[in-house]
Amino acid sequence: ITASPFLIRHPELIQIDEFKLSKSNTWDLTELAIHRLKEKFFVPGESRPLQNVHLVISGDATGQKSDTTNQDPHFNNFTIIQQLFSKAGIQYYMDLEKTNPLVQPRVAWVNNLCEKKYFKILSHCVDSRKDMRMVKRKSGIVEFKKDKSNINLSHFSDIIDYACVTARRMGAFPVHE
């Protein structure tokens, strides 16, 4: 299970960290993310973020379904995230679409941002960098689909896609792009 925080510094989107837990769940990953975000972006000992830090939570739209791997049918990935961030006293904005964006335009947009150097991954995000190098088109398929048959590929490339699309919706990039 994976997650990543990104920093928007107009017109750039920068992946600043990555969180990955094997054989885990949304509860554990969210608690790890909260702990690491507090270390980096919050006034020590307080729930108040450093000046000019605004947290936007987004991700895979399928995480809104109640049939995720959580045992309680009243929860989905995003209600768990909301509950834990609220419990930690962290203010956030949740930006979720009802469905995931189509893969081909999503990947084309990320490629465009990378070519223009609007998207960066910090060097210590080694799994994300590895994932981006491993993404390829699934063979034998007419439309573009990511080939996820490689067991070494994690979900960081999808996280990056969703972050880039969310940042675009928020107006983080020049209009003419």
Side-chain angles (χ1 to χ4, degrees):
I1 188 165
T2 56
S4 290
F6 295 81
L7 176 68
I8 297 174
R9 190 179 309 152
H10 187 74
E12 293 179 325
L13 179 66
I14 305 162
Q15 183 179 355
I16 57 171
D17 206 346
E18 58 185 17
F19 313 131
K20 180 179 177 181
L21 292 177
S22 298
K23 298 179 184 167
S24 191
N25 58 44
T26 304
W27 299 92
D28 294 340
L29 184 66
T30 303
E31 290 195 354
L32 172 67
I34 288 169
H35 175 75
R36 300 253 297 269
L37 290 169
K38 280 187 167 186
E39 285 179 341
K40 288 184 184 224
F41 298 108
F42 287 77
V43 176
E46 297 184 29
S47 303
R48 183 171 52 89
L50 298 171
Q51 192 172 14
N52 296 322
V53 172
H54 305 278
L55 181 63
V56 177
I57 297 173
S58 189
D60 188 330
T62 58
Q64 298 175 77
K65 293 181 180 178
S66 60
D67 63 349
T68 59
T69 58
N70 302 303
Q71 293 142 353
D72 189 329
H74 296 94
F75 289 102
N76 65 46
N77 290 338
F78 292 106
T79 57
I80 292 169
I81 293 166
Q82 288 173 318
Q83 181 180 5
L84 292 176
F85 271 85
S86 295
K87 182 180 171 187
I90 298 175
Q91 292 184 349
Y92 61 90
Y93 169 74
M94 183 126 346
D95 182 275
L96 299 172
E97 293 288 302
K98 291 186 189 313
T99 59
N100 288 328
L102 297 174
V103 176
Q104 185 171 0
R106 187 175 88 194
V107 171
W109 174 245
V110 174
N111 288 342
N112 180 39
L113 295 177
C114 291
E115 287 169 12
K116 292 184 169 131
K117 303 200 184 318
Y118 287 156
F119 175 68
K120 297 176 181 166
I121 303 173
L122 295 186
S123 59
H124 65 275
C125 300
V126 293
D127 287 323
S128 297
R129 289 172 161 270
K130 184 173 102 177
D131 251 34
M132 291 300 281
R133 284 190 300 272
M134 294 173 67
V135 171
K136 62 182 183 176
R137 184 184 195 117
K138 193 169 188 175
S139 64
I141 304 292
V142 175
E143 75 272 8
F144 187 94
K145 290 199 181 252
K146 287 185 178 183
D147 185 354
K148 298 196 179 183
S149 61
N150 185 334
I151 61 169
N152 295 316
L153 191 66
S154 71
H155 290 283
F156 283 116
S157 61
D158 290 326
I159 291 169
I160 290 165
D161 292 358
Y162 299 135
C164 289
V165 169
T166 299
R168 181 183 199 181
R169 271 197 316 270
M170 294 173 62
F173 305 107
V175 176
H176 63 279
E177 298 302 324

